């Protein structure tokens, strides 16, 4: 299972990279705005800075909603760095753009996916990643993890190579549940990744080992 961090915060990206388990980064316009990154040039420079920190794929989202605009924007983003994955929304022109990028060998991440039908279409168009937003579904009392299960089943039925990128991860149990279902990738906040480390018995056990070591030395 690949681990992506879902943030535009460079300190958090560095921290996750330093842990040695980071496979990539996802960003979106809201995450950029949260860090105060606005304006075309600043956004472009921020993508470049992220690519310098991590070794893996970095999703950069197009803002256009028409086919021509997405193609132009996506091609420019892809030229920024070999790690850039063009993030395209799940709309009709987005599907056409994903097909175009796929034929050109440009990696894509189909974002804002909320149904198995959308995920099927994204795979047919040749998306590299499909991003079902599980947290936002849970927020409206719909089963986000159930969607991951449905997509896994459909992709396995036909051997689609599109990777399921479980997105809108809110907490550590989301990561664990996605791992059990077989999501290829998860993207979440640093806090959710850090949560995987914690267990009170680890802390108690370590304190005991250190105390016993001190007794004998
Ligand atoms: C995915 O790529 C999105 O950036 C993200 O996971 C959205 O998550 P949110 O629902 O927490 O905004």
């Amino acid at each position: 299972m690949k681990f992506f961090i879902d943030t535009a915060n460079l300190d958090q990206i560095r921290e996750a990279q330093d842990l040695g388990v980071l496979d990539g980064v996802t960003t979106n316009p809201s995450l950029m705005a949260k860090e105060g990154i606005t304006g075309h040039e600043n956004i472009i420079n921020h993508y470049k800075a992220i690519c310098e920190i991590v070794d893996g794929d970095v999703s950069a989202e197009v803002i256009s909603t028409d086919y021509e605009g997405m193609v132009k924007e996506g091609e420019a983003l892809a030229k920024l760095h070999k790690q850039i994955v063009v993030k395209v929304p799940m709309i009709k022109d987005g599907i056409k753009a994903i097909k175009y990028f796929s034929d050109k060998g440009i990696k894509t991440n189909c974002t804002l996916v909320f149904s198995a039908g959308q995920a099927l279409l994204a795979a047919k168009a040749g998306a590299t990643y499909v991003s079902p937003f599980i947290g936002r579904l849970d927020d409206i009392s719909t089963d986000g993890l159930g969607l991951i299960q449905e997509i896994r089943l459909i992709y396995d039925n036909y051997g689609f190579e599109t990777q399921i990128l479980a997105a809108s991860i809110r907490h550590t149990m989301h990561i664990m549940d996605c791992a059990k279902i077989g999501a290829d990738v998860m993207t979440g906040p640093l806090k959710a990744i850090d949560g995987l480390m914690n267990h009170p018995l680890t802390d108690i056990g370590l304190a005991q080992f250190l105390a016993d070591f001190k007794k004998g030395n």
Side-chain angles (χ1 to χ4, degrees):
M1 185 188 209
K2 289 188 204 167
F3 275 24
F4 289 0
I5 188 167
D6 195 30
T7 185
N9 182 291
L10 297 183
D11 289 337
Q12 288 185 19
I13 293 170
R14 266 186 218 102
E15 198 178 327
Q17 175 68 24
D18 285 350
L19 194 58
V21 299
L22 193 67
D23 300 296
V25 177
T26 52
T27 61
N28 64 43
S30 305
L31 292 172
M32 283 286 187
K34 194 173 160 197
E35 299 306 319
I37 313 297
T38 54
H40 181 71
E41 207 180 319
N42 290 335
I43 290 173
I44 294 298
N45 287 336
H46 206 72
Y47 286 140
K48 288 185 193 163
I50 294 173
C51 289
E52 292 308 314
I53 299 172
V54 302
D55 300 322
D57 287 348
V58 175
S59 286
E61 190 157 342
V62 297
I63 303 303
S64 306
T65 52
D66 64 298
Y67 172 75
E68 286 78 14
M70 286 185 203
V71 164
K72 194 172 161 206
E73 240 187 281
E75 284 187 324
L77 286 170
K79 276 187 195 137
L80 287 181
H81 201 283
K82 61 177 188 329
Q83 286 164 241
I84 292 285
V85 173
V86 181
K87 204 173 181 187
V88 179
M90 164 43 76
I91 53 176
K92 197 169 195 174
D93 281 33
I95 289 297
K96 288 191 212 169
I98 287 169
K99 174 71 178 129
Y100 172 88
F101 291 132
S102 162
D103 289 346
K104 288 226 149 190
I106 293 173
K107 285 186 182 182
T108 53
N109 173 357
C110 183
T111 190
L112 290 167
V113 166
F114 293 95
S115 78
Q118 291 178 325
L120 176 58
L121 204 51
K124 285 286 292 174
T128 313
Y129 298 103
V130 65
S131 288
F133 279 33
I134 63 174
R136 293 192 193 187
L137 283 170
D138 288 355
D139 288 345
I140 55 159
S141 58
T142 302
D143 186 8
L145 290 167
L147 175 59
I148 303 290
Q149 264 166 337
E150 277 187 274
I151 300 172
R152 182 74 283 154
L153 175 68
I154 292 169
Y155 283 9
D156 288 349
N157 279 347
Y158 297 99
F160 283 119
E161 285 176 13
T162 299
Q163 295 175 57
I164 303 174
L165 197 175
S168 189
I169 293 264
R170 295 284 159 75
H171 47 72
T172 307
M173 270 314 286
H174 267 159
I175 301 178
M176 290 313 299
D177 288 331
C178 285
K180 287 180 204 164
I181 294 167
D184 302 287
V185 192
M186 78 82 203
T187 190
L190 185 59
K191 189 169 59 116
I193 298 173
D194 283 348
L196 292 166
M197 272 180 270
N198 300 334
H199 200 290
L201 289 179
T202 303
D203 300 338
I204 293 167
L206 181 61
Q208 186 67 57
F209 285 156
L210 296 178
D212 289 343
F213 172 79
K214 271 184 199 153
K215 278 185 214 161
N217 290 280

